[in-house]
Amino acid sequence: DGLTGLYNKKFFLDALVPAVASSVRHGTPLSLLMLDIDHFKRINDTFGHPAGDTVLREVSQVLTRIVRAEDVLARYGGEEFALLLRETDQERAEACAERCRGAVETQLFDPSSLRIRVTLSAGVASLPDRELLDVDALLGASDRELYEAKRLGRNRVCSRARSAALA
């Protein structure tokens, strides 16, 4: 991605397809996090697009410091990021999502001395899961959890396992 220096959506999806196939075939853990900057339109509308671009770059740097070298972090679109965690079960993925959320929440983003506070919402889905057998199902599950985090007030992590336990 030209703005953030992260992988782009196409690269991410190209990496996700074989990772999911391998996880399903071998029953190994794999997790997908969808992360979205809360109220990003408000940042652009209030402070301008250059400030929004700076926030995107700096959030990308914060996330990059958290993830492992073997993880695949990408700008999925707009203010949304995707994170592929190989060999990572649901519990560890939720912990990673909380680290990402907490690190962004505590960071003060300072484009042109504006001192902007930012929060993230995250959705987590993990394999193995008998209902998630392909890339589309995994993406759909993590995306639904992201929207649940937004619906519940933002600045939180929601996961498929937690949602299933509450149902």
Side-chain angles (χ1 to χ4, degrees), residues 22-47:
S22 179
S23 175
V24 169
R25 183 176 2 4
H26 300 292
T28 55
L30 177 139
S31 293
L32 174 61
L33 279 60
M34 298 302 287
L35 308 138
D36 190 76
I37 299 174
D38 296 326
H39 302 294
F40 187 73
K41 183 179 182 324
R42 189 181 306 159
I43 294 169
N44 278 336
D45 290 349
T46 303
F47 303 107

Side-chain angles (χ1 to χ4, degrees), residues 101-115:
R101 188 202 59 73
V104 168
E105 179 184 39
T106 60
Q107 178 77 35
L108 186 61
F109 299 94
D110 203 15
S112 303
S113 301
L114 294 172
R115 303 173 59 83

Side-chain angles (χ1 to χ4, degrees), residues 1-6 37 40 49-65 75 81 109 111:
D1 176 66
L3 177 63
T4 63
L6 299 178
I37 299 174
F40 187 73
H49 289 278
D53 288 350
T54 299
V55 167
L56 281 170
R57 278 191 299 274
E58 291 182 7
V59 166
S60 300
Q61 292 167 4
V62 169
L63 297 175
T64 298
R65 288 192 296 268
R75 182 173 177 204
F81 303 89
F109 299 94

Side-chain angles (χ1 to χ4, degrees), residues 1 4 13 16 50 62-63 84 86 89 93 98 101 108-109 113-114 118-119 126 128 132 137 142 144 148-149:
D1 176 66
T4 63
L13 293 174
L16 185 61
V62 169
L63 297 175
L84 170 61
R86 293 182 187 95
D89 63 18
E98 284 292 349
R101 188 202 59 73
L108 186 61
F109 299 94
S113 301
L114 294 172
V118 174
T119 59
S126 299
L132 305 178
S142 59
R144 280 189 298 281
E148 182 66 2

